[in-house]
Amino acid sequence: MEKLQLQAPAKVNYRLDVLGKRPDGYHDLRMVMQRVGLYDEITIALSATPGIRVTCGKKGVPDGPGNIAWRAADVLLKLSGKETGIDIAIDKRIPVAAGLGGGSSDAATVLMGVNELLGLGLSDQHLMEIGVKLGADVPFFIFKKTALAEGIGDKLTALESMPSLWVVLVNPGIHVSTAWVYQNLILTGKRPATIIRGSYSNATEVAELLSNDLEPVTCGKHPLLNEVKDMLLAAGAAGSLMSGSGATVFGIFEDEAVARKAAADIAAAHGWFAEAVQTL
């Protein structure tokens, strides 16, 4: 096999607790992470010309070595010891710097794809150990299940019983730096962790789970995001939250038609990115 065409899904955080700052500068987190059906399309092809080439052409996404997908391919190519070249084309559908994990998902997808193309036979666990060195969210996309993520996001426990829901993603074109958000986060010390159940059966129960400790920082700078949350709730969402460090806001819905109408109405009224997708 010389070529693969793959889909790299986005994610939302149903929950994001920042439990404290670690001595290494990272933060201890506790998150509930859910993949959703919005995808970057990635083509990976082996080439007779040595080296790695990554092209995307999307504003805010570097081509070449500055792209996390390039770094993912580089790790495995070096590990393989082969002289082959790798060409990677990314058709970016997931908004950039939006709290949806697009870059991490691209890297995870490239790790899995290059592993297959080069016949390395590495296990998902091995790929996850490589992936966490590229980015804290990368292992989650290799894990391929709804997960409770702890540590810096790399300790994953599957949440097997989560309902299939419709999620309306709204991004009003605000780009947020994750580093800036964490730098401006004020921690009030260690706090007791609320219980996260292993089973949720409907949108109302999932809505009770929704919480994001980064939201006050991002929404404090961009109050429009609170208005987006209100729009989604008014359109029938059982709950609404900012995903990750922002600035995408999402609402959860039981009903496909209601979700699709909410996305279409918000997009038409404001010209923003708004899309209804299913959980994976």
Side-chain angles (χ1 to χ4, degrees), residues 11-194:
K11 61 84 183 167
V12 293
N13 297 90
Y14 285 156
R15 184 88 181 199
L16 197 163
D17 298 339
V18 183
L19 302 180
K21 195 165 186 179
R22 298 153 50 110
D24 60 10
Y26 287 95
H27 289 80
D28 275 317
L29 305 174
R30 195 179 60 143
M31 303 179 288
V32 175
M33 302 176 73
Q34 172 69 58
R35 294 173 305 140
V36 297
L38 174 69
Y39 304 93
D40 288 345
E41 305 284 342
I42 299 182
T43 303
I44 310 171
L46 299 184
S47 168
T49 306
I52 299 166
R53 290 156 293 276
V54 174
T55 56
C56 180
K58 179 87 169 183
K59 184 179 178 183
V61 181
D63 291 339
N67 193 301
I68 189 173
W70 188 99
R71 301 200 300 275
D74 184 56
V75 171
L76 291 195
L77 187 58
K78 285 176 177 170
L79 194 63
S80 76
K82 297 182 179 182
E83 295 296 317
T84 187
I86 301 174
D87 293 318
I88 300 168
I90 302 172
D91 182 2
K92 201 87 181 125
R93 311 279 179 87
I94 302 170
V96 177
L100 296 174
S104 295
S105 187
D106 291 351
T109 301
V110 166
L111 285 175
M112 291 184 284
V114 171
N115 181 47
E116 184 176 339
L117 282 174
L118 295 182
L120 298 179
L122 302 178
S123 67
D124 281 354
Q125 183 59 42
H126 193 163
L127 292 176
M128 289 164 68
E129 290 166 7
I130 292 170
V132 74
K133 296 172 185 172
L134 299 168
D137 286 349
V138 176
F140 165 71
F141 290 103
I142 299 169
F143 193 61
K144 299 188 284 286
K145 296 172 185 169
T146 305
L148 173 65
E150 298 174 284
I152 61 171
D154 57 326
K155 296 173 186 173
L156 301 169
T157 305
L159 297 176
E160 300 288 2
S161 182
M162 295 295 281
S164 176
L165 298 175
W166 283 87
V167 176
V168 174
L169 305 169
V170 180
N171 188 286
I174 296 167
H175 288 238
V176 175
S177 160
T178 299
W180 177 87
V181 174
Y182 277 101
Q183 285 162 9
N184 286 273
L185 177 67
I186 298 170
L187 294 173
T188 56
K190 294 275 186 181
R191 59 184 177 80
T194 54

